[in-house]
Amino acid sequence: CPERNVEPLDLKVHFAVAGCGVISRFHLDAIRSIEDAALCGVYDPVEASARAAAQAYGTRAYPDYDALLADPQVDAVCICTPSHLHAPLALQAVAAGKHVLIEKPVALTLEDCDAVAAGVQVGVVSQLRYGPAVARVKRALESGALGRITRCDLYMKYFRPQSYYDSGTWRGTQAMDGGGALMNQGVHGVDLILWMLGDQVKSLFGRAETLSRKIVVEDTAAAILKMDKGAICVIEEYQ
């Protein structure tokens, strides 16, 4: 057979990032640091933000989200927008056949959460799962080293000053943020309970209040959960 020049296969996963706010740089840095990943470009409805990110990371700025989804090189989309845009943008990406990595929450309603996962790989950023201490406890639970779990306590005493909520019109709103202390920060702890115990909630009693911040959603929450396997969990979250 005559010798032929064969182009090497590109086995990298090609990402585009939608939303160029504060959290996007963590995705952009991660993509750049992973050998098997490549960055195709970025998009933000604020053109200046998209151009700045594109220049900083040596990539292109898509003129709109449709252009990002129409790019055949894009395999997956990182959605780094305000919470209320997660589900709409994810559903568009899924319809275009793109895999999706979404900043939490996946959506603001259960119906939208269920609709997002359909035919492609969908992931949500739950970074606390990957801490060394958490991974060690997870292995101990799975091995049975800790025996039967009858009690689990979650205390997440974050501090979010009023300036945090004032920094964006969507923060601390029901329509665009989906909630406050429990929805925005406490969701990471709730995720750990469900993931580490490998269990589902059978029943719960809780209360949420707005006591210290000038927002319309909760800044303080407490709940008692009864799990399917019998454990009782206590959740306390405030700012």
Side-chain angles (χ1 to χ4, degrees):
C1 295
E3 292 186 2
R4 295 182 300 171
N5 292 324
V6 179
E7 290 290 332
L9 290 175
D10 184 358
L11 300 179
K12 292 185 177 182
V13 178
H14 293 77
F15 289 86
V17 174
C20 297
V22 173
I23 203 67
S24 66
R25 72 174 183 269
F26 295 97
H27 291 253
L28 292 164
D29 287 342
I31 293 166
R32 189 162 61 177
S33 69
I34 297 172
E35 183 178 352
D36 295 329
L39 179 63
C40 294
V42 298
Y43 161 71
D44 194 285
V46 179
E47 292 184 16
S49 296
R51 287 196 302 269
Q55 183 176 6
Y57 287 88
T59 190
R60 65 175 293 188
Y62 293 99
D64 53 50
Y65 192 55
D66 288 339
L68 182 157
L69 295 179
D71 185 350
Q73 191 178 27
V74 175
D75 299 312
V77 182
C78 294
I79 297 177
C80 304
T81 61
S83 300
H84 68 292
L85 296 175
H86 290 182
L89 295 184
L91 289 170
Q92 284 182 256
V94 169
K98 311 296 186 183
H99 304 297
V100 181
L101 179 63
I102 314 172
E103 277 293 326
K104 57 81 187 163
V106 174
L108 303 188
T109 68
L110 288 175
E111 292 78 11
D112 283 345
C113 284
D114 291 339
V116 166
V120 298
Q121 295 293 319
V122 176
V124 61
V125 177
S126 298
Q127 71 270 22
L128 295 187
R129 292 188 182 191
Y130 301 98
V134 170
R136 191 173 179 183
V137 173
K138 175 67 170 176
R139 289 193 297 270
L141 287 167
E142 291 180 336
S143 70
L146 300 181
R148 178 185 171 216
I149 303 302
T150 61
R151 176 72 181 268
C152 178
D153 301 329
L154 171 67
Y155 298 99
M156 300 191 73
K157 301 176 181 181
Y158 278 68
F159 176 71
R160 296 293 194 196
Q162 186 64 42
S163 58
Y164 168 81
Y165 292 103
D166 295 340
S167 66
T169 57
W170 63 278
R171 295 190 187 278
T173 67
Q174 190 67 49
M176 293 186 285
D177 208 5
L182 187 58
M183 181 70 165
N184 198 301
Q185 287 84 44
V187 66
H188 287 296
V190 174
D191 173 70
L192 285 186
I193 287 179
L194 298 177
W195 179 65
M196 294 180 75
L197 295 184
D199 205 351
Q200 297 297 313
V201 179
K202 184 176 182 179
S203 63
L204 68 86
F205 169 81
R207 188 166 184 87
E209 299 280 356
T210 307
L211 301 178
S212 60
R213 298 287 175 260
K214 295 177 182 178
I215 53 178
V216 297
V217 291
E218 83 285 349
D219 58 32
T220 303
I224 299 175
L225 286 61
K226 176 73 172 180
M227 309 302 285
D228 276 339
K229 296 178 183 178
I232 295 175
C233 298
V234 175
I235 295 175
E236 184 179 309
E237 165 75 22
Y238 67 82
Q239 298 177 354

